[in-house]
């Protein structure tokens, strides 16, 4: 085993991810009595969080520099602390902690989730799939026999949200921006796919869904957010999951009547979602998603573009921000 490993850390605040980060070599730490040492095989890319962190725009995180970047990673346990009993050397584990862009990491054994194999598909379930499940069920109060709209539906979070809404017995609409993504969403059971590069989303919704949309899982922001608000049904719920259209720029300033003029007359609502603020649901959501995945009731999409090594992470972040991905973007170490 190596004596050192590489990781990505935020060295300075900057608009550009590549200029803000650096790759450093650090010693591999021997695990304390309650810890395990993991050799990571894959890490998931969270370009929105990464970009906002580089700009110091995440209010709920103390961004004291240097700051380790990345979240979810999966690998194999290579060393145990003397008090660890539930995990064995060679076990596959997932971690969803700050600092996932690293080749090795030492963590408290209780913070690692055992899985069958260290495959990249699991990184689509945790934490992105977990976010989709909690947002839909706890925040959106998802029911059956409703019309559900998922924006950025072919992304890492969106394609899981589509399948969960279908499993709950709903009619599901998904928006995306390419033919490849359209075909992916059809494969996952999406009832109506709207390619916004070829069709007008607002026009389609008004023509085909005149009663409005009951539940909206919104990840994009800007004009698409406005369109979603305009097409909410009576007592419709919109979950703000992200705003990827504004991650690479400052928030757009708009001048229009305040939002309550559109919401009150429909008794509709907008509900914000942030995964760390729903921590009490995470473990049960992880268990449910793994069970659905192992029973082949949900499938995951890994973006076909290969990124290998720590050095490829800035390129992977740019790839996702530019909307080139089809499914979850992962990096192989």
């Amino acid at each position: 085993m190596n004596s050192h490993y590489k990781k990505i850390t935020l060295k300075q605040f900057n608009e550009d991810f590549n200029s803000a980060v650096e790759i450093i070599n650090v010693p591999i730490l021997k695990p304390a009595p309650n810890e395990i040492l993991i050799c990571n095989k894959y890490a998931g890319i969270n370009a929105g969080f990464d970009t906002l962190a580089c700009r110091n725009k995440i209010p709920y995180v103390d961004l004291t520099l240097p700051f380790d970047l990345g979240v979810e990673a999966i690998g194999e346990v290579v060393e145990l602390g003397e008090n660890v009993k539930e995990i064995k050397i060679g076990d596959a584990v997932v971690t969803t902690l700050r600092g996932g862009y690293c080749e090795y990491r030492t963590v408290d054994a209780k913070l690692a989730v055992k899985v069958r194999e260290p495959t990249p598909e699991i990184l689509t379930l945790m934490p992105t799939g977990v976010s989709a499940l909690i947002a839909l069920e706890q925040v959106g109060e998802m029911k059956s026999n409703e019309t559900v709209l998922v924006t950025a539906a072919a992304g890492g979070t969106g394609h899981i949200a589509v399948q969960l809404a279908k499993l709950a017995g709903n009619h599901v609409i998904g928006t995306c921006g390419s033919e490849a993504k359209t075909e992916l969403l059809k494969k996952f059971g999406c009832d109506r796919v709207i390619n916004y590069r070829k069709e007008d989303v607002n026009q389609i919704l008004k023509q085909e869904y005149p009663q409005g949309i009951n539940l909206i899982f919104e990840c994009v922001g800007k004009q698409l957010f406005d369109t979603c608000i305009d097409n909410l049904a009576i007592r419709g719920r919109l979950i703000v999951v992200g705003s990827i259209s504004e991650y690479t720029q400052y928030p757009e300033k708009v001048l229009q009547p305040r939002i309550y003029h559109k919401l009150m007359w429909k008794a509709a609502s907008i509900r914000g979602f942030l995964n760390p603020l729903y921590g009490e649901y995470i473990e049960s959501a992880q268990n449910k998603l793994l069970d659905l995945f192992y029973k082949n009731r949900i499938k995951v999409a890994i973006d076909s573009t290969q990124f290998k090594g720590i050095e490829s992470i800035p390129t992977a972040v740019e790839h996702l921000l530019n909307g080139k991905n089809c499914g979850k973007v992962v990096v192989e170490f």
Side-chain angles (χ1 to χ4, degrees):
M1 189 171 67
N2 299 329
S3 61
H4 287 69
Y5 69 96
K6 289 184 285 188
K7 68 177 182 178
I8 282 190
T9 186
L10 179 62
K11 64 177 179 178
Q12 64 183 9
F13 297 121
N14 194 288
E15 295 295 302
D16 175 58
F17 179 86
N18 208 24
S19 301
V21 305
E22 66 177 342
I23 299 172
I24 61 173
N25 280 283
V26 292
I28 294 176
L29 300 177
K30 186 175 181 63
N34 295 315
E35 293 181 333
I36 57 175
L37 175 63
I38 306 165
C39 175
N40 284 327
K41 304 297 183 184
Y42 300 93
I45 298 296
N46 292 282
F49 181 92
D50 296 334
T51 304
L52 293 173
C54 290
R55 296 177 175 181
N56 196 17
K57 296 294 184 181
I58 304 179
Y60 69 94
V61 177
D62 179 15
L63 290 169
T64 301
L65 300 178
F67 183 86
D68 292 344
L69 289 173
V71 182
E72 67 269 25
I74 189 167
E76 292 182 350
V77 177
V78 294
E79 192 172 348
L80 302 174
E82 59 187 35
N83 294 337
V84 177
K85 306 300 181 185
E86 300 299 319
I87 294 177
K88 299 179 177 61
I89 290 176
D91 281 350
V93 294
V94 180
T95 53
T96 55
L97 309 167
R98 178 172 69 85
Y101 295 156
C102 60
E103 295 171 327
Y104 285 83
R105 76 180 316 175
T106 304
V107 302
D108 189 312
K110 294 179 180 178
L111 300 178
V113 179
K114 285 204 299 184
V115 293
R116 294 181 184 179
E117 295 180 274
T119 61
E121 286 77 12
I122 300 298
L123 296 181
T124 305
L125 303 178
M126 293 185 274
T128 48
V130 167
S131 293
L133 180 61
I134 296 173
L136 287 169
E137 292 187 348
Q138 304 302 327
V139 184
E141 301 178 43
M142 182 169 66
K143 304 177 178 65
S144 299
N145 300 312
E146 290 192 319
T147 299
V148 179
L149 169 64
V150 179
T151 63
T157 308
H159 82 282
I160 300 296
V162 164
Q163 294 176 81
L164 292 172
K166 284 298 297 178
L167 282 173
N170 293 299
H171 177 94
V172 181
I173 310 161
T175 69
C176 66
S178 73
E179 286 302 316
K181 293 179 180 182
T182 298
E183 293 306 311
L184 177 72
L185 291 173
K186 288 179 179 177
K187 185 176 75 172
F188 287 146
C190 203
D191 297 290
R192 177 61 161 102
V193 183
I194 305 174
N195 182 343
Y196 62 82
R197 298 189 190 279
K198 292 187 173 183
E199 297 179 289
D200 185 297
V201 177
N202 186 54
Q203 184 179 44
I204 293 295
L205 293 179
K206 289 194 180 306
Q207 287 179 350
E208 299 183 17
Y209 302 93
Q211 299 303 311
I213 313 300
N214 304 110
L215 178 60
I216 301 177
F217 186 92
E218 217 293 275
C219 312
V220 177
K222 293 185 79 169
Q223 286 81 12
L224 187 52
F225 172 85
D226 297 336
T227 293
C228 289
I229 293 295
D230 288 341
N231 286 279
L232 275 170
I234 291 174
R235 296 176 67 177
R237 295 94 64 204
L238 183 147
I239 316 165
V240 178
V241 184
S243 53
I244 196 167
S245 65
E246 294 188 305
Y247 288 159
T248 59
Q249 54 194 285
Y250 287 103
E252 181 182 16
K253 294 182 179 180
V254 294
L255 182 63
Q256 61 181 16
R258 288 191 169 91
I259 198 73
Y260 52 75
H261 292 290
K262 294 183 178 181
L263 298 177
M264 186 182 70
W265 302 108
K266 295 180 179 180
S269 60
I270 301 173
R271 308 173 181 189
F273 170 74
L274 194 63
N275 197 324
L277 301 183
Y278 284 82
E280 69 268 31
Y281 300 103
I282 289 176
E283 184 177 354
S284 61
Q286 289 174 340
N287 293 335
K288 180 175 180 177
L289 283 170
L290 286 171
D291 183 63
L292 289 170
F293 176 69
Y294 289 138
K295 289 180 178 177
N296 204 33
R297 297 188 66 200
I298 60 170
K299 301 181 184 298
V300 300
I302 301 295
D303 186 66
S304 61
T305 307
Q306 293 187 342
F307 300 98
K308 293 190 176 183
I310 287 282
E311 294 79 8
S312 70
I313 287 176
T315 305
V317 169
E318 183 179 4
H319 176 80
L320 198 159
L321 286 176
N322 288 334
K324 296 179 180 179
N325 66 303
C326 196
K328 180 72 174 178
V329 178
V330 300
V331 171
E332 182 179 0
F333 294 137

